[in-house]
Amino acid sequence: MRKKISILGSTGSIGTQALDVIEKLGDKFEIISLTAGGNVNLLNEQIAKFHPKSVCVSGSSDKDRIVGCNKVLCGSEGLEEICSNTENDIILVAVSGKIGLKPTITAIKNKINIALANKETLVMAGDIVMKLAKDNNVAIVPVDSEHCAIHQCIKDISQVEKLIITASGGPFLHKTVDDMKSATVEQALAHPRWNMGRKITVDSATLMNKGLEIIEAHHLFNMPYEKIDVVVHPQSVVHSAIEYVDGSVIAQIGLPSMHIPIQYAICYPERFEGIKSRSFSFSEIARLDFEAPDFDKFPFLNLAYSAGKTGGTATVALNGADEEAVFAFLDGKIKLYDIYEITKRMYDMHTPILNPSIDEIFDVDKEIRIKTRELVKEHCGCLSI
């Protein structure tokens, strides 16, 4: 029986790779809906190939450009309508940013399982989302390679002593702090292992992405922050590991390809031969290196632990300020290390709301972003850490 799926963000990096997986798997999936931001031309190509019953675009002006689909929705209301359709067995949430939060909650309330590739959903509202999922008996299967690895390793979470999240170290692993301070946008985007969107690639360069993954792991696996470690592993072959209470360590190993965790998440609990399926050769890999992260060079890690332990809207402030600062860096307004300085200032200024509502979360996010943009404009890229 074919699994019915909708993809939020089908024209992005995760979305396009998910469609690669679905095409490879043949008749195992039926696509119900696809959604896109501004890439209407690619969405039209996807419509012609996969024949979704409905699509959603970000702006009303894009609706008239859609070809080959009778039902065209628009904006956040359209996303939530798609996530209300109980014809879906699973929804892949692959949109970027806070826009993914409300549709995910809508899908959970309609008892639709989630393949989650949107960080903001758990970073901003992890307590709310995970409680809703539990109350509605909904599975949330992570798509991120690190969390997907942990998901595959765990049999009984009560027997797990520690989560070990691996990090490639990004393009500045073997560079100095001075190298990072003078880094160009092009250098920050030159990730040695993964092909990702611009924002997440910059976060990987500062290890902020790993900080956000720590917060996500806390919510996904209900693990105290004191029992979540990060280890730098440049080859990106060990995607993460867990340590059981008896000292046994179980790791998930595989080629550095997002096709594999995407396929795992949308097919769970079944497994099939996929795009990247082949015999793994330890002898070809030859060596695997591991080292502790440099918390002085990558201070975002400590800031993420602090925000996670504080809870409430502390993580909302962290996420919103970082995102706005990254955009400013990509626009050439500030330097790479200024991203942390700006984020830290906004984080320190924020008084967290504990146990916030969804509306309060969005209010804080809006306020933080406005103030961050003001801080960027005030300093005009002249900050130094």
Side-chain angles (χ1 to χ4, degrees), residues 90-337:
I90 188 169
I91 292 177
L92 170 59
V93 183
V95 292
S96 177
K98 62 183 178 181
I99 193 175
L101 176 53
K102 286 187 177 180
T104 301
I105 288 175
T106 298
I108 293 172
K109 289 180 176 178
N110 283 278
K111 303 185 185 304
I112 302 169
N113 290 330
I114 303 293
L116 188 61
N118 174 270
K119 291 186 178 301
E120 287 76 8
T121 293
L122 295 182
V123 172
M124 293 176 68
D127 290 334
I128 294 173
V129 170
M130 296 309 295
K131 183 178 186 304
L132 273 175
K134 182 178 180 180
D135 292 345
N136 288 277
N137 195 30
V138 165
I140 297 181
V141 184
V143 172
D144 271 357
S145 61
E146 296 83 0
H147 302 116
C148 182
I150 292 170
H151 190 276
Q152 293 182 66
C153 291
I154 291 176
K155 290 185 177 180
D156 182 350
I157 191 64
S158 69
Q159 296 179 345
V160 175
E161 175 63 24
K162 183 169 62 176
L163 307 182
I164 304 163
I165 300 175
T166 55
S168 71
F172 302 116
L173 174 60
H174 300 299
K175 302 292 184 180
T176 66
V177 171
D178 287 339
D179 290 331
M180 292 185 69
K181 287 183 177 181
S182 62
T184 65
V185 171
E186 290 73 22
Q187 289 171 329
L189 292 176
H191 197 282
R193 292 291 174 182
W194 299 99
N195 180 20
M196 305 172 290
R198 285 162 63 86
K199 192 270 180 182
I200 193 173
T201 303
V202 173
D203 277 344
S204 294
T206 64
L207 288 200
M208 171 60 166
N209 189 52
K210 208 54 51 178
L212 297 177
E213 288 174 7
I214 291 166
I215 297 168
E216 289 180 273
H218 164 76
H219 291 295
L220 280 167
F221 307 109
N222 193 28
M223 185 64 64
Y225 285 99
E226 292 78 10
K227 294 186 176 184
I228 304 174
D229 287 350
V230 173
V231 63
V232 174
H233 168 51
Q235 291 88 356
S236 297
V237 171
V238 177
H239 297 297
S240 278
I242 62 173
E243 181 180 330
Y244 282 103
V245 292
D246 63 358
S248 296
V249 176
I250 308 296
Q252 190 267 329
I253 297 174
L255 300 172
S257 166
M258 282 307 299
H259 288 101
I260 298 173
I262 291 169
Q263 180 171 314
Y264 174 84
I266 65 175
C267 292
Y268 181 79
E270 297 181 279
R271 292 182 187 265
F272 305 101
E273 182 178 348
I275 294 173
K276 296 294 182 179
S277 297
R278 67 173 176 83
S279 179
F280 182 85
S281 173
F282 280 88
S283 60
E284 287 180 12
I285 297 299
R287 61 178 287 172
L288 300 175
D289 298 308
F290 302 92
E291 61 184 86
D294 185 337
F295 283 81
D296 293 326
K297 189 165 76 171
F298 300 108
F300 263 125
L301 287 175
N302 275 328
L303 194 59
Y305 274 113
S306 173
K309 291 176 182 178
T310 299
T313 57
T315 55
V316 179
L318 174 73
N319 178 76
D322 168 71
E323 186 165 294
E324 293 298 326
V326 169
F327 291 156
F329 169 70
L330 289 170
D331 287 340
K333 297 176 181 177
I334 63 173
K335 297 179 181 179
L336 182 67
Y337 247 52

Side-chain angles (χ1 to χ4, degrees), residues 15-60:
T16 54
Q17 291 179 86
L19 289 173
D20 291 342
V21 169
I22 288 170
E23 186 176 16
K24 169 69 176 179
L25 294 176
D27 62 354
K28 289 182 170 60
F29 284 89
E30 176 185 351
I31 293 178
I32 303 300
S33 301
L34 299 174
T35 84
N39 198 340
V40 175
N41 291 335
L42 179 54
L43 180 59
N44 279 330
E45 293 176 14
Q46 294 173 347
I47 291 169
K49 179 178 284 189
F50 296 101
H51 311 292
K53 296 181 179 180
S54 66
V55 298
C56 179
V57 291
S58 59
S60 57

